[in-house]
Amino acid sequence: MHGDETVGREILLHLIDFLVTSYGRDPVITRLLNNTRVHIMPSMNPDGFEATKVPDCYYTRGRYNRNGEDLNRNFPDAFENNSAKIQPETRAVMDWIKNETFVLSANLHGGALVASYTFDNGNPVTGSLKGYSRSPDDDVFIHLAKTYSSNHASMYKGMGCDNRQTFPEGITNGYSWYQLEGGMQDYNYVWGQCFEITLELSCCKYPPEDQLGKFWRDNKVALIEYIKQVHLGVKGQVTDKNGNPIPNAIVEAKGRPHVCPYRTNEQGEYFLLLLPGTYVINATVPGFKSMLKTVEIPDNTGNFSALKQDFSFPEVSAKISSRVASCPKTPLYQELTRASAAVKPTIHVLALMTIMLAIFK
């Protein structure tokens, strides 16, 4: 994302080479690619990379794009209005997210050594007053971050890059580290229905060329193990009485409501990343009775296939199955906070009225 943070760019090129040369030779990589669509974007900010004329471990103007904008502060934010003008690179990525059914992703950075997970921003609804901004899928995000750090050569040690900063087990909640508005990982989770973490891969942002090979070796296993996690949880298809797919049906795990409900794609497919356990999956087609199914989710990452659970709505016909639904790119959590605040005075008024009635009696 940042042009002067070059390690991620380099190891993704190595990853592409490793995947295509290992396919058909390595049974694990072959099964992984036979069962997984993998998209790799080595650089989101090529102009920033080209602008970095003098390598520096700490900071250069190459962090920003040609217009001087930080792309990881440029996305719509779920907690506050982001006044930054959306850049061409950001818009391209937003369109990419909209047109694909991404389930799991990571964005790569340098300047630290840690796996950071959503939320990067927060408010009292997500627990920010306690210094931690918790998503409904916090347990899954912790697992994803630990999967990467524990398979990295040294990230799991949590040593950080100096004596002032340590990260237990090599992971951190983004907000606990520092508050960030307009970040990509929060955008992906809220509006892209995609679980994304931020990987900080090197203390030095632009290290010497002779160190790049070691960075690839340090991250190789972690990258593969992380990709496997896309097969966590449950997936399936929602169809009508004729077996036609129903797009935009809401499918959520009970007790894990997303502020922008997760919906099926054009093929009626849904994907929910969940840790092994028992869950109630709720499928809803607007205007019709919801369908609940209890599922026991195993750890299927080694089999490269999440548990499959389909839903068929016999009363739904294809004529009404293509209703368009989407969440506005507005601070949804800010609106949720206002809604909560609007309810609280009512409780106080009721309590006051009860006390007054008791006094009058």
Side-chain angles (χ1 to χ4, degrees), residues 7 12 22 71 106 135 143 148 150 159 193 209 239 241 286 296 310:
V7 172
L12 288 180
S22 299
L71 299 179
S135 77
H143 166 79
Y148 200 93
S150 64
M159 298 303 291
Q193 302 189 182
E209 181 182 354
T239 56
K241 64 181 181 181
E296 186 71 34
D310 295 331

Side-chain angles (χ1 to χ4, degrees), residues 193 234-238 246 248-254 256-258 260-265 268-272 280-285 291 309-311 313:
Q193 302 189 182
V234 60
K235 64 182 180 181
Q237 189 178 37
V238 180
I246 302 178
N248 293 310
I250 297 173
V251 185
E252 301 258 69
K254 198 171 181 181
R256 293 170 178 262
H258 297 106
C260 182
Y262 278 24
R263 298 176 180 270
T264 54
N265 62 15
E269 298 169 329
Y270 76 91
F271 302 86
L272 296 176
V280 176
I281 308 301
N282 186 342
T284 304
V285 176
M291 192 174 293
Q309 179 63 68
D310 295 331
F311 291 86
F313 283 80

Side-chain angles (χ1 to χ4, degrees), residues 24-190:
R25 298 180 180 182
D26 184 311
V28 173
I29 300 303
T30 302
R31 288 189 65 198
L32 177 65
L33 293 179
N34 282 344
N35 292 280
T36 318
R37 288 187 300 116
V38 181
H39 298 246
I40 300 174
M41 177 174 60
S43 179
M44 184 176 166
N45 185 4
D47 289 338
F49 177 76
E50 294 300 329
T52 308
K53 303 300 184 184
V54 180
D56 192 286
C57 276
Y58 301 103
Y59 170 83
T60 71
R61 291 292 300 169
R63 174 185 180 88
Y64 307 100
N65 75 343
R66 180 183 286 266
N67 296 329
E69 294 290 341
D70 186 331
L71 299 179
N72 204 33
R73 307 292 188 276
N74 196 237
F75 285 84
D77 193 89
F79 297 92
E80 51 193 304
N81 285 304
N82 190 353
S83 59
K85 181 181 178 182
I86 293 180
Q87 297 298 296
E89 299 93 335
T90 310
R91 177 63 63 192
V93 169
M94 289 172 63
D95 290 343
W96 193 35
I97 292 168
K98 181 181 177 181
N99 294 327
E100 295 286 345
T101 305
F102 292 129
V103 180
L104 176 70
S105 64
N107 69 76
L108 279 53
H109 295 259
L113 192 62
V114 66
S116 173
Y117 56 91
T118 204
F119 285 116
D120 273 330
N121 207 345
N123 63 17
V125 171
T126 60
S128 64
L129 295 178
K130 296 181 180 179
Y132 189 110
S133 190
R134 187 182 307 274
S135 77
D137 298 291
D138 192 62
D139 57 341
V140 180
F141 276 110
I142 290 172
H143 166 79
L144 292 172
K146 284 184 178 180
T147 295
Y148 200 93
S149 68
S150 64
N151 286 284
H152 185 277
S154 60
M155 188 184 289
Y156 70 95
K157 297 177 182 177
M159 298 303 291
C161 295
D162 55 47
N163 295 327
R164 295 171 298 166
Q165 193 175 62
T166 59
F167 301 103
E169 299 185 83
I171 71 170
T172 184
N173 173 255
Y175 186 90
S176 293
W177 187 12
Y178 62 90
Q179 186 178 4
L180 186 159
E181 176 190 334
M184 184 172 168
Q185 72 175 8
D186 286 5
Y187 177 85
N188 237 323
Y189 176 62
V190 172

Side-chain angles (χ1 to χ4, degrees), residues 285-297:
V285 176
F288 295 86
K289 186 178 179 180
S290 295
M291 192 174 293
L292 303 175
K293 291 190 178 181
T294 300
V295 296
E296 186 71 34
I297 295 179

